[in-house]
Amino acid sequence: MTKRHCSLVAPISGQIVSLEGVPDPVFAEKMTGDGLAITAESEEVLAPCDGVISLFFDFKHAFAITTPEGIQILVHIGLDTVVMEGMGITALCKSGERVKAGTPVLHLDIDLLRRRKINLISPLLIVNYDKVEDMRLPKKKRVKAGDTVLEYAV
């Protein structure tokens, strides 16, 4: 069977942080998946890949997209955004909606989140990473929303 090469685009612009550098053990110890994190600097949060929004957390701080290959990608905005109870985050899509990589999914009120001292380190994870091979993380330190940030094979 031939491997299919896939990539994820950055859902937001900002500084890339390794998962080990995320000050939350759930992410740092890869309990919810493998990937990277980006310190959010942009207001628009994009779909990192083509697929269906398979999960939208109640407070809109995180969503998952399931790719056509069955890979589940999780985008989690900030580390403690759940305390905002959805304030400062506007959903532009809904659960069950089919999206393309680069589709705007959320709009952030970055100024409000910063004023509330929300840690904007935002993990981008492959939840079922046991199903992927050859995952390659970027060498660059900063990324612009929509740029390729992670490549893998299924």
Side-chain angles (χ1 to χ4, degrees):
M1 190 197 266
T2 307
K3 288 183 190 176
R4 184 170 188 292
H5 292 275
C6 306
S7 61
L8 301 180
V9 301
I12 49 178
S13 298
Q15 183 81 25
I16 293 177
V17 178
S18 71
L19 281 185
E20 294 80 13
V22 174
D24 181 322
V26 171
F27 297 117
E29 295 173 19
K30 302 179 183 178
M31 292 180 207
T32 53
D34 198 359
L36 54 88
I38 303 168
T39 301
E41 295 175 0
S42 54
E43 293 187 336
E44 220 172 39
V45 180
L46 309 178
C49 57
D50 295 353
V52 173
I53 297 177
S54 49
L55 177 68
F56 228 128
F57 284 70
D58 290 341
F59 294 138
K60 302 174 289 235
H61 66 286
F63 63 91
I65 295 176
T66 301
T67 70
E69 299 81 25
I71 303 302
Q72 191 172 47
I73 308 300
L74 178 72
V75 177
H76 193 286
I77 301 303
L79 297 181
D80 42 9
T81 40
V82 71
V83 302
M84 297 291 291
E85 298 182 347
M87 202 166 61
I89 304 172
T90 304
L92 305 174
C93 294
K94 59 187 179 309
S95 195
E97 194 170 327
R98 185 169 299 284
V99 293
K100 292 272 188 202
T103 301
V105 176
L106 299 173
H107 179 81
L108 307 178
D109 184 338
I110 284 280
D111 293 335
L112 173 65
L113 296 172
R114 285 181 181 143
R115 281 195 308 274
R116 294 289 180 94
K117 307 280 191 255
I118 300 298
N119 185 330
L120 293 173
I121 292 177
S122 302
L124 170 64
L125 306 170
I126 299 174
V127 176
N128 51 349
Y129 66 97
D130 56 315
K131 295 185 178 186
V132 304
E133 297 176 30
D134 305 322
M135 187 169 74
R136 280 178 260 135
L137 299 171
K139 302 227 184 304
K140 52 189 164 186
K141 300 291 183 214
R142 295 191 62 73
V143 70
K144 202 173 110 196
D147 289 350
T148 299
V149 289
L150 198 145
E151 296 180 49
Y152 62 92
V154 289

